[in-house]
Amino acid sequence: MKIAIDGPASAGKSTISKLVAQALDFTYLDTGAMYRATTYLALQQKIALDDAPKIAQALAKATIDFQNGPENDQKVFLNGEDITEVIRSAEVTGLVSQVAALPEVRQTLVQQQRQIADRTNIVMDGRDIGTTVLPDAEVKIFMTASVLRRAQRRYKENIAKGMTTSLETIKTDIEHRDYKDSHRAVSPLRQAEDAIVVDTSDLNIEQSTAKILGIIRQKMN
Ligand code: CDP
Ligand code: CDP
């Protein structure tokens, strides 16, 4: 069974997808982490971020792994290096949409994502899962929330990590990233025709998870 969860930045996709996967005993795949890992790889190897063939070449030689840790934490490794924290940095976050727009990068990562989904029951979150990666997913959710609510949540998360970016800056960054992700030529962020919209603006984590599990269980029956 395949469950696709798409939506704009900071809507709650990864938090809720992890909990949903845990409740169903499915594998969880954070495809955003793969685009972030690719951005980090290009920066690490000092490849220009518009040099698509070189980035694709480096990506073909690289290994991106996920490892489930305690308390539902998932760690991300690039060629064995733990990059879980560094791929959430402001630098990578500010550049990832540029790298994610490269068709060569998308081709490689979409292929890897489909291979993983072929092996297991999966909850996959991203921007193009319901439209491009798993168009035959049994359940497609388009998760959204007001931009202010999304910025407030990211702000709270950043404060807890000791980061001091202002709420206004976070809101502007989210808007810019959503715009770039929605307007790229190859598999832009958009709602699949058969996706169910879940607005989490006024739902906490438990309520959002329960709502999605309800939708999935209804489909399973
Ligand atoms: O967690 P957050 O919403 O901040 O972002 P993410 O899910 O980690 O994704 C980071 C970036 O990767 C997005 O802004 C997109 O540019 C790109 N992405 C994509 O293009 N396609 C996907 N399936 C997932 C992410
Ligand atoms: O993956 P995505 O970027 O869509 O969002 P996320 O990283 O899962 O969630 C962004 C922040 O919102 C996290 O700090 C979540 O704990 C929080 N969140 C929330 O407070 N209430 C929800 N209903 C969903 C997420």
Side-chain angles (χ1 to χ4, degrees):
M1 184 161 181
K2 298 174 177 59
I3 296 165
I5 302 193
D6 292 301
S10 201
K13 301 180 300 295
S14 57
T15 307
I16 311 300
S17 298
K18 258 187 236 172
L19 291 167
V20 166
Q22 196 182 36
L24 299 171
D25 201 19
F26 282 16
T27 299
Y28 163 61
L29 185 67
D30 175 359
T31 63
M34 299 171 83
Y35 290 95
R36 287 173 180 272
T38 306
T39 306
Y40 177 75
L41 176 72
L43 291 171
Q44 191 185 45
Q45 299 197 2
K46 301 196 183 346
I47 305 171
L49 296 187
D50 56 358
D51 191 342
K54 257 206 170 141
I55 297 178
Q57 212 176 26
L59 188 56
K61 286 190 211 146
T63 324
I64 301 169
D65 287 313
F66 293 89
Q67 218 176 75
N68 289 323
E71 294 188 12
N72 217 17
D73 271 344
Q74 194 173 62
K75 287 198 175 298
V76 190
F77 294 85
L78 176 69
N79 297 325
E81 176 192 346
D82 184 347
I83 57 163
T84 315
E85 295 298 327
V86 72
I87 58 170
R88 308 276 154 205
S89 65
E91 187 186 18
V92 171
T93 302
L95 296 168
V96 59
S97 290
Q98 188 183 335
V99 173
L102 302 172
E104 292 87 341
V105 167
R106 300 204 73 81
Q107 203 183 355
T108 304
L109 293 182
V110 167
Q111 197 183 5
Q112 290 181 11
Q113 290 154 12
R114 287 185 182 144
Q115 279 168 359
I116 295 168
D118 278 344
R119 297 197 294 262
T120 173
N121 288 321
I122 199 155
V123 180
M124 201 183 282
D125 86 312
R127 303 292 187 288
D128 61 336
I129 311 305
T131 52
T132 303
V133 182
L134 306 174
D136 59 343
E138 284 85 349
V139 182
K140 296 182 188 176
I141 305 284
F142 193 80
M143 188 180 286
T144 185
S146 72
V147 68
L148 180 62
R149 189 49 61 93
R150 292 189 279 126
Q152 285 168 336
R153 288 172 178 164
R154 219 9 91 81
Y155 178 74
K156 203 172 144 194
E157 188 184 307
N158 283 358
I159 291 287
K161 285 185 196 160
M163 290 154 82
T164 54
T165 317
S166 73
L167 177 64
E168 205 38 54
T169 304
I170 292 177
K171 186 166 165 277
T172 309
D173 287 352
I174 284 179
E175 283 169 334
H176 281 160
R177 196 144 57 90
D178 287 348
Y179 183 87
K180 275 194 216 149
D181 291 343
S182 310
H183 289 83
R184 66 176 173 235
V186 184
S187 45
L189 163 67
R190 68 179 170 81
Q191 187 190 325
E193 272 173 26
D194 48 350
I196 298 167
V197 178
V198 174
D199 188 324
T200 69
S201 300
D202 298 315
L203 301 178
N204 65 24
I205 292 173
E206 291 72 27
Q207 291 165 330
S208 311
T209 308
K211 177 143 192 170
I212 301 220
L213 280 172
I215 294 170
I216 295 168
R217 292 202 167 111
Q218 208 172 8
K219 283 263 180 183
M220 281 166 126
N221 290 334

mmCIF file of all heavy atoms in Angstrom, residues 45-69:
data_model
loop_
_atom_site.group_PDB
_atom_site.id
_atom_site.type_symbol
_atom_site.label_atom_id
_atom_site.label_comp_id
_atom_site.label_asym_id
_atom_site.label_seq_id
_atom_site.Cartn_x
_atom_site.Cartn_y
_atom_site.Cartn_z
ATOM 1 N N GLN A 45 31.068 19.310 -2.407
ATOM 2 C CA GLN A 45 32.000 19.051 -3.507
ATOM 3 C C GLN A 45 32.255 20.306 -4.353
ATOM 4 O O GLN A 45 32.861 20.225 -5.412
ATOM 5 C CB GLN A 45 31.463 17.905 -4.375
ATOM 6 C CG GLN A 45 31.321 16.621 -3.567
ATOM 7 C CD GLN A 45 31.190 15.376 -4.437
ATOM 8 O OE1 GLN A 45 31.234 15.428 -5.672
ATOM 9 N NE2 GLN A 45 31.049 14.232 -3.796
ATOM 10 N N LYS A 46 31.751 21.430 -3.858
ATOM 11 C CA LYS A 46 31.942 22.730 -4.520
ATOM 12 C C LYS A 46 31.526 22.708 -6.000
ATOM 13 O O LYS A 46 32.223 23.230 -6.871
ATOM 14 C CB LYS A 46 33.398 23.203 -4.373
ATOM 15 C CG LYS A 46 33.828 23.337 -2.918
ATOM 16 C CD LYS A 46 35.085 24.143 -2.777
ATOM 17 C CE LYS A 46 35.641 24.288 -1.390
ATOM 18 N NZ LYS A 46 34.828 23.937 -0.249
ATOM 19 N N ILE A 47 30.401 22.082 -6.253
ATOM 20 C CA ILE A 47 29.853 22.046 -7.612
ATOM 21 C C ILE A 47 28.867 23.218 -7.728
ATOM 22 O O ILE A 47 28.050 23.427 -6.812
ATOM 23 C CB ILE A 47 29.105 20.714 -7.883
ATOM 24 C CG1 ILE A 47 30.023 19.517 -7.611
ATOM 25 C CG2 ILE A 47 28.551 20.678 -9.305
ATOM 26 C CD1 ILE A 47 29.307 18.164 -7.647
ATOM 27 N N ALA A 48 28.942 23.959 -8.822
ATOM 28 C CA ALA A 48 28.007 25.079 -9.022
ATOM 29 C C ALA A 48 26.583 24.518 -9.020
ATOM 30 O O ALA A 48 26.318 23.470 -9.628
ATOM 31 C CB ALA A 48 28.303 25.770 -10.343
ATOM 32 N N LEU A 49 25.662 25.224 -8.353
ATOM 33 C CA LEU A 49 24.322 24.665 -8.165
ATOM 34 C C LEU A 49 23.474 24.656 -9.437
ATOM 35 O O LEU A 49 22.381 24.105 -9.452
ATOM 36 C CB LEU A 49 23.591 25.386 -7.033
ATOM 37 C CG LEU A 49 24.231 25.222 -5.643
ATOM 38 C CD1 LEU A 49 23.340 25.821 -4.570
ATOM 39 C CD2 LEU A 49 24.540 23.766 -5.309
ATOM 40 N N ASP A 50 24.009 25.262 -10.519
ATOM 41 C CA ASP A 50 23.281 25.167 -11.797
ATOM 42 C C ASP A 50 23.966 24.173 -12.748
ATOM 43 O O ASP A 50 23.560 24.015 -13.889
ATOM 44 C CB ASP A 50 23.151 26.548 -12.455
ATOM 45 C CG ASP A 50 24.499 27.214 -12.667
ATOM 46 O OD1 ASP A 50 25.525 26.629 -12.269
ATOM 47 O OD2 ASP A 50 24.521 28.325 -13.225
ATOM 48 N N ASP A 51 25.009 23.494 -12.242
ATOM 49 C CA ASP A 51 25.713 22.514 -13.083
ATOM 50 C C ASP A 51 25.041 21.144 -12.930
ATOM 51 O O ASP A 51 25.544 20.246 -12.230
ATOM 52 C CB ASP A 51 27.196 22.465 -12.683
ATOM 53 C CG ASP A 51 28.034 21.681 -13.694
ATOM 54 O OD1 ASP A 51 27.440 20.915 -14.479
ATOM 55 O OD2 ASP A 51 29.263 21.837 -13.682
ATOM 56 N N ALA A 52 23.896 21.003 -13.593
ATOM 57 C CA ALA A 52 23.072 19.802 -13.420
ATOM 58 C C ALA A 52 23.828 18.505 -13.739
ATOM 59 O O ALA A 52 23.760 17.552 -12.955
ATOM 60 C CB ALA A 52 21.809 19.921 -14.258
ATOM 61 N N PRO A 53 24.568 18.418 -14.869
ATOM 62 C CA PRO A 53 25.245 17.152 -15.157
ATOM 63 C C PRO A 53 26.242 16.745 -14.064
ATOM 64 O O PRO A 53 26.304 15.579 -13.683
ATOM 65 C CB PRO A 53 25.982 17.424 -16.483
ATOM 66 C CG PRO A 53 25.266 18.587 -17.086
ATOM 67 C CD PRO A 53 24.729 19.400 -15.964
ATOM 68 N N LYS A 54 26.986 17.731 -13.535
ATOM 69 C CA LYS A 54 27.974 17.416 -12.477
ATOM 70 C C LYS A 54 27.292 16.982 -11.184
ATOM 71 O O LYS A 54 27.767 16.054 -10.512
ATOM 72 C CB LYS A 54 28.857 18.647 -12.196
ATOM 73 C CG LYS A 54 30.230 18.531 -12.818
ATOM 74 C CD LYS A 54 31.220 19.353 -12.044
ATOM 75 C CE LYS A 54 32.611 19.004 -12.540
ATOM 76 N NZ LYS A 54 33.464 20.162 -12.614
ATOM 77 N N ILE A 55 26.202 17.646 -10.845
ATOM 78 C CA ILE A 55 25.495 17.260 -9.609
ATOM 79 C C ILE A 55 24.918 15.847 -9.785
ATOM 80 O O ILE A 55 25.026 15.000 -8.900
ATOM 81 C CB ILE A 55 24.373 18.272 -9.250
ATOM 82 C CG1 ILE A 55 24.976 19.650 -8.967
ATOM 83 C CG2 ILE A 55 23.569 17.783 -8.041
ATOM 84 C CD1 ILE A 55 23.965 20.739 -8.652
ATOM 85 N N ALA A 56 24.360 15.588 -10.973
ATOM 86 C CA ALA A 56 23.777 14.265 -11.226
ATOM 87 C C ALA A 56 24.862 13.178 -11.163
ATOM 88 O O ALA A 56 24.633 12.086 -10.640
ATOM 89 C CB ALA A 56 23.085 14.261 -12.581
ATOM 90 N N GLN A 57 26.033 13.517 -11.668
ATOM 91 C CA GLN A 57 27.170 12.576 -11.646
ATOM 92 C C GLN A 57 27.579 12.262 -10.198
ATOM 93 O O GLN A 57 27.779 11.104 -9.830
ATOM 94 C CB GLN A 57 28.334 13.249 -12.362
ATOM 95 C CG GLN A 57 29.253 12.314 -13.092
ATOM 96 C CD GLN A 57 30.315 13.131 -13.847
ATOM 97 O OE1 GLN A 57 30.640 14.263 -13.461
ATOM 98 N NE2 GLN A 57 30.841 12.564 -14.901
ATOM 99 N N ALA A 58 27.672 13.311 -9.387
ATOM 100 C CA ALA A 58 28.047 13.134 -7.979
ATOM 101 C C ALA A 58 26.971 12.327 -7.249
ATOM 102 O O ALA A 58 27.277 11.447 -6.431
ATOM 103 C CB ALA A 58 28.248 14.497 -7.316
ATOM 104 N N LEU A 59 25.716 12.605 -7.573
ATOM 105 C CA LEU A 59 24.592 11.918 -6.931
ATOM 106 C C LEU A 59 24.583 10.431 -7.283
ATOM 107 O O LEU A 59 24.297 9.578 -6.436
ATOM 108 C CB LEU A 59 23.285 12.596 -7.383
ATOM 109 C CG LEU A 59 21.982 12.173 -6.712
ATOM 110 C CD1 LEU A 59 22.037 12.342 -5.201
ATOM 111 C CD2 LEU A 59 20.819 12.982 -7.285
ATOM 112 N N ALA A 60 24.950 10.135 -8.528
ATOM 113 C CA ALA A 60 24.960 8.734 -8.974
ATOM 114 C C ALA A 60 25.997 7.913 -8.193
ATOM 115 O O ALA A 60 25.815 6.711 -7.983
ATOM 116 C CB ALA A 60 25.254 8.674 -10.470
ATOM 117 N N LYS A 61 27.069 8.582 -7.763
ATOM 118 C CA LYS A 61 28.129 7.884 -7.017
ATOM 119 C C LYS A 61 27.862 7.879 -5.513
ATOM 120 O O LYS A 61 28.586 7.240 -4.751
ATOM 121 C CB LYS A 61 29.467 8.598 -7.259
ATOM 122 C CG LYS A 61 30.051 8.341 -8.638
ATOM 123 C CD LYS A 61 31.471 8.884 -8.679
ATOM 124 C CE LYS A 61 31.822 9.354 -10.067
ATOM 125 N NZ LYS A 61 32.707 10.512 -10.088
ATOM 126 N N ALA A 62 26.878 8.658 -5.076
ATOM 127 C CA ALA A 62 26.646 8.830 -3.635
ATOM 128 C C ALA A 62 25.581 7.862 -3.123
ATOM 129 O O ALA A 62 24.811 7.300 -3.900
ATOM 130 C CB ALA A 62 26.182 10.260 -3.368
ATOM 131 N N THR A 63 25.563 7.668 -1.787
ATOM 132 C CA THR A 63 24.517 6.866 -1.163
ATOM 133 C C THR A 63 23.820 7.694 -0.100
ATOM 134 O O THR A 63 24.470 8.237 0.788
ATOM 135 C CB THR A 63 25.114 5.621 -0.451
ATOM 136 O OG1 THR A 63 26.207 5.149 -1.218
ATOM 137 C CG2 THR A 63 24.087 4.538 -0.261
ATOM 138 N N ILE A 64 22.503 7.773 -0.218
ATOM 139 C CA ILE A 64 21.700 8.441 0.812
ATOM 140 C C ILE A 64 20.962 7.340 1.560
ATOM 141 O O ILE A 64 20.260 6.529 0.957
ATOM 142 C CB ILE A 64 20.680 9.426 0.181
ATOM 143 C CG1 ILE A 64 21.391 10.493 -0.653
ATOM 144 C CG2 ILE A 64 19.820 10.078 1.268
ATOM 145 C CD1 ILE A 64 20.462 11.349 -1.520
ATOM 146 N N ASP A 65 21.172 7.289 2.898
ATOM 147 C CA ASP A 65 20.525 6.255 3.719
ATOM 148 C C ASP A 65 19.697 6.890 4.820
ATOM 149 O O ASP A 65 20.039 7.968 5.303
ATOM 150 C CB ASP A 65 21.586 5.377 4.420
ATOM 151 C CG ASP A 65 22.267 4.453 3.464
ATOM 152 O OD1 ASP A 65 21.563 3.804 2.685
ATOM 153 O OD2 ASP A 65 23.512 4.414 3.492
ATOM 154 N N PHE A 66 18.669 6.177 5.236
ATOM 155 C CA PHE A 66 17.858 6.608 6.379
ATOM 156 C C PHE A 66 17.969 5.542 7.457
ATOM 157 O O PHE A 66 18.023 4.356 7.153
ATOM 158 C CB PHE A 66 16.393 6.751 5.966
ATOM 159 C CG PHE A 66 16.156 7.872 4.993
ATOM 160 C CD1 PHE A 66 16.241 7.654 3.623
ATOM 161 C CD2 PHE A 66 15.869 9.143 5.443
ATOM 162 C CE1 PHE A 66 16.031 8.686 2.718
ATOM 163 C CE2 PHE A 66 15.667 10.191 4.545
ATOM 164 C CZ PHE A 66 15.744 9.961 3.185
ATOM 165 N N GLN A 67 18.007 5.999 8.722
ATOM 166 C CA GLN A 67 18.070 5.048 9.822
ATOM 167 C C GLN A 67 17.090 5.495 10.901
ATOM 168 O O GLN A 67 17.133 6.666 11.314
ATOM 169 C CB GLN A 67 19.488 5.055 10.390
ATOM 170 C CG GLN A 67 20.004 3.700 10.804
ATOM 171 C CD GLN A 67 21.449 3.831 11.262
ATOM 172 O OE1 GLN A 67 21.696 4.321 12.343
ATOM 173 N NE2 GLN A 67 22.401 3.415 10.421
ATOM 174 N N ASN A 68 16.212 4.605 11.308
ATOM 175 C CA ASN A 68 15.247 4.975 12.347
ATOM 176 C C ASN A 68 15.894 4.888 13.710
ATOM 177 O O ASN A 68 16.478 3.873 14.064
ATOM 178 C CB ASN A 68 14.033 4.060 12.277
ATOM 179 C CG ASN A 68 13.204 4.364 11.050
ATOM 180 O OD1 ASN A 68 13.069 5.527 10.654
ATOM 181 N ND2 ASN A 68 12.677 3.336 10.425
ATOM 182 N N GLY A 69 15.776 5.973 14.479
ATOM 183 C CA GLY A 69 16.330 6.002 15.828
ATOM 184 C C GLY A 69 15.206 5.959 16.847
ATOM 185 O O GLY A 69 14.051 5.738 16.490
#
